[in-house]
Every structure is written in structure tokens, then in C-alpha cells.
Amino acid sequence: MLTSVFAGLSDIEVLEYALDQAVADLHALGGMIHWAGPVGSREPRLVAASGLPPAVQEAWDGTRDLIVRVLRDGTPACRSVSRSDLDGAGLATVAAVPLRGPGPPFGVLSVLCDGAAEPTGGQREFLRSLAGWLARRLARTGADSGTKGPWWPERSADSGLRKALKAVKIGSWDWNLRTGELYWDEPALTMLGIDPATAPHHIDTWSNIVHPKDLPRVMAATEEAIRTRAIYEVEYRACRPDGTTGWMHARGRLVLDERGEPVRMVGTVWDTTESRVARESAGRALRDMSDAFLAVDRDGRIMFVNLVAERLLGSGDLNGRVLWELTSAHAPELQTMCRQVAAERVPASFDLRWPPDDRWYHVRLVPVPDGLTLYLTDVTEKRIQDEQREAAEQAAAERAARMQELTRALADAVTLRDVMQVIAEQVLPPFGAAGLTVLTRAGGHLRVVESIGGPTDLLGEFQNRAALVPSAYADVLRSHVPVFITSTAERRAPGAGGADAAGSRMDSWAILPLRVPDQPMGYCVISFDRPHQFTSEERTLLTALSGLIAQALARARMYDLEHTRAQELQRHLLPRVLPSLPGLTAAARYLPGGTVAVGGDWYDIIPLSADRVALVIGDVMGHGLTEAATMGRLRTAVRTLADLELPPGELLAHLNDLVSDLGDDFYVTCLYAVYDPTSGECALVSAGHPPPALVHPDGTVRVLDVTPDPPLGAAAPPLSTHELRVPEGSLLVFYTDGLIESSTRDIESGLAELTRLLTGLRRGLSDSDLDRLCESVIEAMLPTRKQLPDDAALLIARTHRLPAEDVASWALPDNPIAAGEAREHVRAQLAAWHLDDLVTTTELVASELVGNVIRHAKGPLRLRLLRSRTLICEVADGSLTTPRIRRASETDEGGRGLQLVAALSQRWGTRFTADGKCIWAEQALPAPDAA
């Protein structure tokens, strides 16, 4: 079968096809055929290979001793080799059989099989049969050519192998390193243009024909190969004696003596002129093509880049560098697709935004035997055009629907901002406009009311400009007829108001008059950042819309004026910012009811002494300016009374008197609580107010059972005080009835809904979480915020406890030695707190306060220090007398103690307790670097 199939083929083709057949039948990784060396040499020489890239062929040369042994002994042999030396991990097996002639073997056929198992008996028999047929086939070639005997022992010039090597322009050479004598066979001499009659040849003969520009590189490669005992391979230009030049590729290896010293170098040489010219021609075409092109190996290392690719990847030596490791090509999808195509061997294409210039490229990946080729085409402009076209088509489709919504949206718009937003959303997009500016006439001047996307460089020019200065805008005010400016050229035309828009980035304008019955109020300017030719339909539609816009703006101006005044009043009456205190952190929301944006609900957080905090929430019945003014008076009164450190019940009793003096028409509900972070105690008094909710740290919610007294104005003191202990991290939720009660929901249902919303909350909420919690509760309880029937206020406070190590307390004797003991306690405690800088002043403050008690009051006596945002020193006694600072004369021996306390403290004061009073003083803590 082989004889019939390979009839008429050249010797080299026979070698290649036979080798392919051996690799296929054994399911091998690849194979090679080696020939014996020149006359007098047994050095094997590679003449054919299949299935193995050059890098692996070089690594396989490590099995040379196996090839030499088969040539020498003439018997088949096998050997296991490590694939780590070849192309991967694991083991492989080399099977070699000799190619026999009448004499010794003239060559070896070898195959590389995957795995450590040797070929089966049938496979070995196939290799021997194939080797025998190949030897006979080559022997017949020599007989057919008229030569005497086979060509392999004598290696005559006209032998089959010589003809095969000559056909592929491959010659051999043998260089004696010690004598410098150099032997070339006939094909080599022919390629190099050397006359065989000039033999013997020397190494200088060869160096003389190497191109002068290539000679240093060639000599360096030669010396490096001899020095390192490595494979010798070099490509150079040969200057033949006849004046022609050709490219030669030489490859060889060293032959060592018994001492391991190099004595000869043998190898092959072949003419690469045609392939070199073809590569250079293709390379020039690829290098100068308009698209970026590059070639990478299977590991992504760059082998070739053209000029456009160099600009994309950056300057420098790119060959050998991994593509996706370059900073300019760092795109994860590029690496992923390259690896996928390299593995699947299927071309692919995709669009990629190139990292350095942020432009879009269409990337086409084509697998090649050695790796991949990449073609990158800039498609940025195409993508932009496609996006613009798609946007224009969609805008045309949406334009009609948006116009139908405009009238309804303008009717729903309440404020000026609402109207402007409706115009910006409903008018600008359908026309492709970029800016909107509304100007109103105030007396004889113009005022910019609002601008969205309009040219800011014109706003200053419009502002406070005389309304009737000759221009296109003045013409609109006088004639009430719209003006359409389609381009910058028309804008600069005489009478078009070109000076108005000088330097503007806009190119087209629609100036629409805004007119309410019998009163021109200004105009609306819709601007375009590109020249826009207004169609007759657009002009008619914009003219009609200007009337709707004018009416909506007139309504919005009146509403905004009233709303602004109401909001300004409300801002001044309610806390602008709630303080963040050591004892608690709070957030609050207020929503006015009715048509006026003010009401009588209020809330407050008031810091007290010893880090205690007062929380208050109240509701003046009704809503409006009168109720808001009453609320402001009550809030001020509560803060004043709280500053006097009055107990909660007594404070609301005073507030009740104030409300009663306002008249019989005023009723106020109020909830007042005082929280002490040192003990967690909370005292509450309710005057007709809904009960607060307590959210425990475990998420359970309890509505406190606080029986309210009658509302202020109808209450009869004394008012009931309720005390409870609040776990650390709990939430106190205060609210007014407007949050839980409405025409469709009674108080019980509202409390149940509020409890459900608060259930499940945990500790650890940050300040922003409290704000979001307030907002969530408001949204859930009052989903429609506009036109509420009643005001609604919500106050949520998260409680904190002062750490035990920040509180120190001592009982003192009721005699003069108490001052000395107080100083000793102060020194020891401040040393433990590392507050040495405050020891002197705190000793003096404590000593004076204790001395004041010993002299003017009675026991039991107690000293307490608190370390918080400030250092607090407290002295408690059993007397109800109030200390006062008096002016001491120069001859008085006493009376200066409280003056010293006031001078050394940030603030000081007195509060009454259940069994006496407490005098306290606060000092600022030193800065952290000074502590």
C-alpha cells in the first residue's frame, strides 16, 4: 500500500509521509528521522520531524545517546523520558528503530509516545516493517538513478539522501576546532557559492563570506556556543564570490573528546532567502497596515507588533513581554478571551475599551500554530454614530408620549422647582434641548428665576439687566411673540441680539414669552448646544406650551413665596441641629399639616448637668402661624426652666401656668423626660401626650404604661412622675398624635403599626442609621406627605451609659477634715485617669465646694467625679439652701469660694435632689497630646 501511495514522490517527501504514518498509527506525540553524519563521523543529524515544534525538537536532542546507540548497534531500543524537558509534566517514551542498508544503519526513525508504557509488540513490528520499507524505498531511488549500490554507506554526491537534502537546499558542515579545517558537502558549497576545487577549506574561508554587518553577531554566537556547550544556531547573510547575497541558517552542535573538551562542531546549513524575503514582505505589509496587528505565543508573549500596535502598547522593546501584563493593555477581558481562543482553537471577536486612550476597538483573535494573532480596529466613531442614531430614533418615539404628560405634570407641579423640573423633563428631551432659563420682569429689570443646564456665562449678564434694552429678548417682552434663533450666524445678525449671547456655548435658542392675563411676567429661554432648525410643528407646539408654562410659573411663584416664609419661621422655631451628647444620640423629623407649612408640634434635646439629658416633645392644638408662634414661646420656656434644673413634674407645672395665661382656647400636650446616663434612670411626665415607645437592645418593643395627666392649660398640679430604668443601647421613641392618628386610623391601630415597624431593631445603629430609621418610619406611617391633616413630629434617641470606670464617688465625713479627704480622692482618681494637668484646679474646686457645705449646709456629704466630654466635680449634701456668689470686700476673710469655682470652671450650678441638693462644676479636658 505504501509503495502504491508514495509512488512518484521525492525522497524528502517520502521521509515526511512515512514519519507521519508512524506517528498516526502509534497515536504518538511526534516523531523524527536522523541521518548518520558526514564521512568519518557518527554524529546523527535531524532530517525530518513531525508533530513537534522546534523548541521540543531541541529538547529531544537530549536523547542523542539513544539515537547513537541504535545507529551503532543496529537494534531497536526504547527509553522513558521526562516531559518536563519537552512540553509539559509527566513521562513519555521514545521508541527508535534503525534504517538498515547492506552495511551499518544509515539512519534512525524515532517516535515520542505519551506515558511511560512501551509500545506493544504489534506496534514495534509495525515500526520495524515501516523502517524496512523506507530503507528499501531509498535504496531503489539510488538504483533508479544509475548509481552503483545504495547511497547511505558511501554518501556519494548523487545518493538518494544527497538528492533529498539538495532538493530542500540543506547542506552539512564539519569544523575541526583544533586545526580550523572546515568541511562542507556539495549542497553546502553550492548554497555558499564556493568552488569545491578550492578545498581544503578553513574557517577563514567561511568567515570571509559572512556579510561584514553580520560577522560580529555571528562570531559572538559561535563563541557563546563553544563556551556554554549549547546548540549553535545563527542566521546570516552570505556574500558569494559571484557577487550575489543570500540568507543562510546554520545549526550545529559540539563533539567532545573523552575529557569533555570540544574538538569539532558539526551541523547543517540551509538557504532561507526565499522564506526570509516572503516573511519580510508579509511583515512590511502587516507593519504598515492601518489596523493594529500583533502576534503572541500560547503564553501571551509578544512575537510581532506593527506600527499601530506599537502606538497602542507604548514604546520600548515589546518582544517577549506578556501582552496583558503591559500597563497599556491591562484589560481582564483581553486576557480571558486570549486564553479561551488559545485553548479552544476557534476564532473569536469582541469590542474592548482600550485602557490608555479610552477608545473602543474591535478585537479579532485568530489561532495559529504557535499562538494567536490579534487584529484591533478602532470603532470608536462608529459606536458613537450608532449610539447617536439609536438615541435619535428612541427620542422621536418617546416625544409624543412625553408631550401628553406635560399638561398633567404642570397641573401637579406646586413649587417653582417642580415646574422647572417638569419643563426640563417633559420639554427639553423631546426637542433635544440642552438648557432652560426662566427670567421674570421685576419693575424695569430682569431677574433670573431658575436655570437648568443653561449657559452660566450669560446668567450674570441677564441678572438685573434693563428689561427693554434693544435685543431679541426685549422684542419678545414687547410683542409677546416667540423668537427662534437657529444658529450662531443668525444670532449675530443685526437686530438678533447677538451681543446678548456673545461667548455662549449654545448655538440655538427658543425665546418664549411668559404671559398671564393682562400681565407679561417674563420669558423662558430654551437653548440648544447644536444648531437646531425649528420645524413649523415645533414652533407651534412651543408657542402653545409657553402659555401653560406661564400659568404654572405664576401659581408656583405665589406658592413658593408663602411656603418660603412659613419654612423660614419653622426653621427658627425648631432645633436646627440636635446635639450629640455622651448620654444619647438623637434624630428627628417634622412634617407640617394643612396648607401652611408651619404648625404647633415641636421637639427638643436639652443637655443638663452631670451629662443628664432632657427630651421634650409637644403639640399645640391646631396648625398655622398662631400655633407656630405659641410653640416657639413654649419651647423657649421649657429650655429656660430646664436650665434651672427643675424636676420634670415641677417644670411642667410651671409650663401649665404659662399655657393657662394664654387663654381658654389653647391646649398643649407635652411629654418631658430626663435621662441619667450614669444610672440608666429615666423620669417622665406626660401632660395629655401619647405614650413613648421603648425599643430594647434585643429588638423587643414596649409602649410605656405612662398614665397621662390632662393637657397643659387644663392640668392640676402636681403632675405624676414615672421612673424606669432604660437598658444601654435602647431606643426611646417620642412622637405626636399626627404620626399615629388620622381619619382612617385610630390611635390604637397607629400604635400597633408603629410597634410593628420598630420590632426587630438592634443596638449599634449609627447616627446616619437613626436618620434613616426616622425617614423609614415617616414613609411607612405617612406615605403621602403632602396635605397632611395634622402636624407630625418624631424623635428617636439611642441611649448610652457612662462606663463605670469613668464614674467615681466617695462619702465624706461631716466635719472640716472632709476637704482634705476630698483632695486626696481627687489626686488619686485623676492620676488613675491620667488627668494630672487638672489635679490642682480640681483639688481647689472640690475643697471649696466641700468647705462651703461644711460651713453653710449639713450632711450627709458626698463627692463624685465624672469623666466625660468634660471633667465634672459634684458635691452633694442634705440641705436645700441655694448657694449664691456674693461680692466680698477687701477686708472679708471669706465669701470667695464660689468666685474661685466660677473662675476655674467652664460652668457650674446647683440642682435639687430627693434628699437635698448637688453643687456641680465642669472643666474642659486637656487636649489628647497634652494629656
Side-chain angles (χ1 to χ4, degrees):
M1 181 187 70
L2 291 173
T3 302
S4 61
V5 172
F6 295 154
L9 297 181
S10 64
D11 291 335
I12 194 64
E13 291 173 330
V14 170
L15 293 175
E16 293 173 348
Y17 280 119
L19 187 57
D20 289 341
Q21 189 66 30
V23 171
D25 282 17
L26 268 70
H27 304 288
L29 300 174
M32 293 185 184
I33 295 179
H34 288 77
W35 264 192
V39 175
S41 170
R42 301 300 296 171
E43 185 71 20
R45 182 172 305 163
L46 177 67
V47 294
S50 174
L52 298 174
V56 178
Q57 295 173 21
E58 295 175 10
W60 201 6
D61 283 345
T63 61
R64 169 185 167 277
D65 54 344
L66 176 67
I67 305 299
V68 171
R69 177 156 58 87
V70 173
L71 279 173
R72 182 187 67 237
D73 301 335
T75 58
C78 292
R79 170 184 293 178
S80 294
V81 296
S82 173
R83 289 188 62 177
S84 60
D85 298 329
L86 305 174
D87 62 340
L91 296 175
T93 301
V94 180
V97 295
L99 300 178
R100 293 178 175 277
F106 62 87
V108 175
L109 185 150
S110 55
V111 293
L112 177 66
C113 301
D114 191 16
E118 296 184 359
T120 64
Q123 291 174 333
R124 293 185 183 182
E125 183 59 30
F126 169 78
L127 287 178
R128 285 194 292 269
S129 300
L130 181 63
W133 175 88
L134 189 58
R136 292 191 299 274
R137 172 65 169 76
L138 295 175
R140 188 171 65 252
T141 300
D144 294 342
S145 62
T147 59
K148 297 181 179 180
W151 52 279
W152 46 85
E154 296 80 11
R155 300 174 181 84
S156 59
D158 57 346
S159 66
L161 178 60
R162 292 300 181 189
K163 290 181 179 180
L165 295 176
K166 186 182 295 184
V168 295
K169 297 184 178 179
I170 297 178
S172 62
W173 49 272
D174 190 335
W175 174 25
N176 189 321
L177 298 178
R178 294 179 176 174
T179 64
E181 184 179 1
L182 185 60
Y183 164 78
W184 283 295
D185 62 4
E186 182 180 349
L189 291 172
T190 302
M191 284 185 287
L192 296 173
I194 299 175
D195 186 359
T198 60
H201 301 112
H202 195 267
I203 187 63
D204 292 336
T205 308
W206 172 68
S207 60
N208 288 334
I209 66 173
V210 177
H211 196 285
K213 291 185 177 181
D214 297 338
L215 188 59
R217 173 175 55 84
V218 172
M219 290 296 102
T222 306
E223 294 175 1
E224 179 69 14
I226 295 175
R227 183 180 63 82
T228 62
R229 312 292 199 267
I231 296 295
Y232 172 65
E233 188 164 9
V234 69
E235 190 172 18
Y236 60 90
R237 285 169 292 181
C239 300
R240 303 184 182 96
D242 61 0
T244 61
T245 302
W247 280 94
M248 304 295 162
H249 192 109
R251 191 173 187 276
R253 65 169 65 252
L254 290 171
V255 178
L256 308 179
D257 59 13
E258 61 278 0
R259 293 176 301 176
E261 294 297 326
V263 293
R264 293 168 46 229
M265 181 182 288
V266 296
T268 57
V269 62
W270 60 93
D271 192 332
T272 60
T273 303
E274 293 182 1
S275 61
R276 180 88 179 200
V277 171
R279 289 198 308 269
E280 290 179 352
S281 177
R284 283 192 298 270
L286 291 173
R287 190 167 183 80
D288 296 329
M289 66 187 298
S290 58
D291 293 338
F293 173 82
L294 62 153
V296 299
D297 62 14
R298 292 178 179 268
D299 296 326
R301 292 183 175 84
I302 298 174
M303 299 186 295
F304 175 82
V305 291
N306 68 356
L307 296 175
V308 179
E310 284 182 353
R311 288 195 294 268
L312 283 179
L313 299 177
S315 58
D317 187 9
L318 299 173
N319 287 334
R321 301 181 65 181
V322 178
L323 173 60
W324 39 81
E325 291 181 357
L326 298 175
T327 303
S328 56
H330 185 65
E333 58 268 35
L334 178 62
Q335 179 181 358
T336 302
M337 290 300 297
C338 285
R339 293 190 183 278
Q340 178 180 333
V341 172
E344 298 177 356
R345 313 303 294 167
V346 176
S349 60
F350 60 97
D351 285 356
L352 170 69
R353 187 188 293 272
W354 199 250
D357 57 7
D358 208 31
R359 295 183 66 83
W360 282 96
Y361 289 85
H362 180 73
V363 183
R364 189 157 48 95
L365 304 176
V366 180
V368 294
D370 295 335
L372 298 173
T373 59
L374 292 84
Y375 302 82
L376 290 86
T377 304
D378 192 334
V379 294
T380 306
E381 300 302 328
K382 180 179 179 299
R383 287 178 67 97
I384 293 176
Q385 293 173 2
D386 292 344
E387 291 173 359
Q388 291 175 345
R389 183 179 65 257
E390 293 175 2
E393 293 174 354
Q394 183 163 353
E398 295 175 353
R399 185 175 302 166
R402 287 183 175 177
M403 287 305 173
Q404 294 176 0
E405 300 175 3
L406 178 60
T407 302
R408 177 188 56 79
L410 285 176
D412 294 339
V414 177
T415 66
L416 181 61
R417 168 57 67 176
D418 293 339
V419 174
M420 292 293 293
Q421 195 64 36
V422 168
I423 300 173
E425 293 176 355
Q426 304 290 338
V427 176
L428 299 189
F431 291 96
L436 170 68
T437 304
V438 172
L439 299 98
T440 58
R441 182 175 180 176
H445 292 79
L446 296 174
R447 184 175 66 88
V448 176
V449 176
E450 194 71 45
S451 180
I452 298 177
T456 57
D457 51 352
L458 296 183
L459 297 183
E461 183 179 352
F462 284 143
Q463 190 73 20
N464 297 324
R465 178 177 179 175
L468 298 180
V469 171
S471 67
Y473 309 104
D475 293 342
V476 171
L477 288 178
R478 280 191 293 263
S479 63
H480 314 307
V481 176
V483 171
F484 300 94
I485 302 175
T486 60
S487 65
T488 55
E490 183 178 344
R491 181 192 67 193
R492 297 190 180 100
D500 295 339
S504 172
R505 62 179 176 83
M506 296 297 178
D507 289 320
S508 299
W509 294 265
I511 308 172
L512 309 176
L514 300 177
R515 179 181 174 84
V516 293
D518 301 325
Q519 182 183 0
M521 58 178 296
Y523 50 82
C524 171
V525 180
I526 299 176
S527 51
F528 300 77
D529 56 4
R530 296 182 181 180
H532 186 83
Q533 297 297 325
F534 296 93
T535 65
S536 59
E537 179 184 357
E538 291 175 336
R539 293 173 185 250
T540 301
L541 185 57
L542 287 173
T543 302
L545 291 177
S546 65
L548 295 175
I549 294 173
Q551 294 175 10
L553 288 173
R555 292 194 307 269
R557 288 179 66 186
M558 291 188 292
Y559 177 85
D560 283 347
L561 181 60
E562 182 179 357
H563 189 72
T564 300
R565 292 173 180 172
Q567 282 188 323
E568 185 177 358
L569 175 61
Q570 194 73 54
R571 273 197 308 271
H572 285 83
L573 295 178
L574 289 176
R576 296 190 178 184
V577 178
L578 292 178
S580 179
L581 303 173
L584 58 78
T585 306
R589 289 294 185 276
Y590 170 78
L591 292 180
T595 57
V596 182
V598 291
D601 290 13
W602 91 94
Y603 55 86
D604 209 347
I605 297 290
I606 306 171
L608 303 177
S609 63
D611 277 347
R612 295 175 310 123
V613 185
L615 301 90
V616 59
I617 189 166
D619 181 4
V620 179
M621 300 304 177
H623 45 77
L625 293 176
T626 302
E627 287 73 12
T630 302
M631 175 267 289
R633 296 171 62 184
L634 295 179
R635 177 173 174 255
T636 302
V638 170
R639 294 189 70 91
T640 302
L641 295 171
D643 195 49
L644 296 177
E645 301 278 1
L646 297 178
E650 187 176 344
L651 185 145
L652 284 193
H654 285 288
L655 199 63
N656 178 69
D657 295 339
L658 177 61
V659 174
S660 297
D661 292 339
L662 296 176
D664 296 337
D665 296 334
F666 285 92
Y667 292 96
V668 178
T669 66
C670 183
L671 176 64
Y672 184 84
V674 175
Y675 171 69
D676 188 349
T678 61
S679 62
E681 296 289 341
C682 183
L684 304 97
V685 177
S686 174
H689 203 83
L694 176 63
V695 182
H696 289 266
D698 61 0
T700 60
V701 180
R702 179 166 63 98
V703 177
L704 300 181
D705 185 12
V706 177
T707 303
D709 288 293
L712 299 178
L719 281 70
S720 302
T721 300
H722 305 269
E723 296 184 353
L724 70 153
R725 183 176 295 274
V726 179
E728 182 178 5
S730 299
L731 296 180
L732 287 171
V733 182
F734 294 5
Y735 49 90
T736 59
D737 58 352
L739 181 71
I740 60 173
E741 185 181 19
S742 67
S743 59
T744 59
R745 181 174 59 193
D746 57 25
I747 291 182
E748 288 73 16
S749 299
L751 278 176
E753 178 66 15
L754 179 62
T755 302
R756 185 190 64 81
L757 289 173
L758 297 174
T759 300
L761 296 177
R762 298 293 188 269
R763 68 169 68 228
L765 295 173
S766 66
D767 295 344
S768 59
D769 292 329
L770 289 179
D771 284 327
R772 287 195 297 270
L773 176 59
C774 282
E775 195 66 30
S776 299
V777 171
I778 290 292
E779 289 180 355
M781 300 296 293
L782 303 172
T784 57
R785 299 191 180 192
K786 294 184 178 180
Q787 302 299 320
L788 296 177
D790 193 11
D791 302 349
L794 174 66
L795 175 65
I796 300 179
R798 180 184 58 192
T799 61
H800 309 294
R801 293 286 294 274
L802 291 183
E805 61 269 17
D806 289 340
V807 181
S809 179
W810 305 271
L812 299 177
D814 190 9
N815 56 58
I817 67 171
E821 290 187 13
R823 288 191 294 270
E824 292 177 0
H825 291 318
V826 167
R827 283 194 298 270
Q829 188 60 49
L830 294 189
W833 284 344
H834 305 290
L835 297 176
D836 301 312
D837 292 347
L838 297 181
V839 170
T840 302
T841 56
T842 309
E843 278 186 322
L844 183 55
V845 169
S847 179
E848 291 296 335
L849 293 180
V850 171
N852 190 70
V853 171
I854 296 298
R855 184 172 183 180
H856 301 289
K858 63 180 181 178
L861 190 62
R862 193 164 193 85
L863 171 67
R864 188 169 73 158
L865 294 178
L866 287 82
R867 180 179 61 175
S868 181
R869 292 188 303 180
T870 60
L871 179 63
I872 303 170
C873 177
E874 296 182 343
V875 175
D877 61 65
S879 172
L880 296 178
T881 58
T882 303
R884 296 188 303 273
I885 297 178
R886 69 182 181 86
R887 184 179 298 276
S889 64
E890 295 180 356
T891 60
D892 289 342
E893 295 182 0
R896 297 181 177 85
L898 292 182
Q899 292 182 6
L900 288 174
V901 172
L904 296 175
S905 305
Q906 279 187 331
R907 63 178 188 140
W908 73 281
T910 304
R911 70 174 180 272
F912 292 95
T913 62
D915 52 0
K917 69 174 184 299
C918 176
I919 308 174
W920 54 269
E922 291 185 5
Q923 299 178 78
L925 294 178
D929 56 345

